[in-house]
Amino acid sequence: KDTSLMGYFNREFLGGKWIHFQDQPHLGYMSWRDPPVNSLRAIKLNHLIIPDTVIMSVSVEESESVWPTETRAATLPQFNIFSQRKHYFEIFNQGGDPFDYTITTDQPWIILSQTSGTIEKEERIYANIDWSKVTKGLSTGNITINGPDSQVSIKVEAFNPKEISKETLRGFVETNGYVSIEAEHYSKKHK
């Protein structure tokens, strides 16, 4: 139902005589006249030219940056024993030719969904933590991606607090700047 002033005018004063008189029946207006058929000629399309080379690029979760061209260090979001969430990074090809890659880690507690392969367009790799091998406190490690023309290192942090274990925890834990509490677990009401 049209709630605009023009819609009200059409319904109330002219008995609906002019309803939809301003609707455009076709796409592609390029002049004052109605186009006889739908046309997308008014849209200017750009065509990308992809070079016939190999250009390995890497992006990490929660970042808009691309490595190796970015100067800041690549870092995955922090892992913690409470959420035990996986994080990912993506390897993608900005060139036209496929390439092979290998991935290594410097810590035995960093687990990857894949450690080698061939990239034609893109591939998402998941990183997880083996919490039985992580020491208490904040542990750091690195993931290194080796491609044909470059190398990218991604920093990994795993938080396993000394004082609290997952089994003895009472309450709710902050993760990535948020605390999620179900409504039925409130502790106090204020009026």
Side-chain angles (χ1 to χ4, degrees), residues 101-117:
Y101 69 91
T102 58
I103 307 173
T104 57
T105 64
D106 65 353
Q107 297 296 328
W109 45 263
I110 301 173
I111 302 167
L112 300 173
S113 62
Q114 201 165 319
T115 57
S116 64

Side-chain angles (χ1 to χ4, degrees), residues 27-136:
L27 299 171
Y29 271 74
M30 295 179 68
S31 69
W32 62 271
R33 294 181 48 218
D34 292 358
V37 294
N38 288 333
S39 171
L40 298 178
R41 289 178 302 175
I43 300 173
K44 303 293 183 215
L45 299 176
N46 293 327
H47 298 281
L48 296 176
I49 298 171
I50 300 173
D52 289 334
T53 59
V54 172
I55 305 171
M56 181 183 87
S57 298
V58 176
S59 64
V60 298
E61 183 178 355
E62 296 184 4
S63 176
E64 294 179 4
S65 300
V66 175
W67 286 268
T69 55
E70 175 64 49
T71 56
R72 293 178 294 125
T75 305
L76 281 174
Q78 189 181 71
F79 293 86
N80 70 62
I81 195 165
F82 303 111
S83 69
Q84 296 195 9
R85 188 173 160 228
K86 293 186 222 178
H87 294 293
Y88 67 87
F89 57 93
E90 293 177 325
I91 306 170
F92 59 97
N93 190 357
Q94 290 187 356
D97 294 336
F99 64 88
D100 294 328
Y101 69 91
T102 58
I103 307 173
T104 57
T105 64
D106 65 353
Q107 297 296 328
W109 45 263
I110 301 173
I111 302 167
L112 300 173
S113 62
Q114 201 165 319
T115 57
S116 64
T118 301
I119 301 290
E120 289 189 32
K121 293 186 178 180
E122 62 186 62
E123 184 108 21
R124 181 172 282 188
I125 312 292
Y126 285 92
N128 207 347
I129 304 298
D130 182 349
W131 292 103
S132 65
K133 296 180 181 176
V134 178
T135 59
K136 294 288 186 181

Side-chain angles (χ1 to χ4, degrees), residues 160-173:
N160 187 6
K162 297 175 186 174
E163 303 83 28
I164 303 170
S165 72
K166 189 175 180 183
E167 293 76 30
T168 61
L169 177 68
R170 297 271 186 250
F172 300 91
V173 178

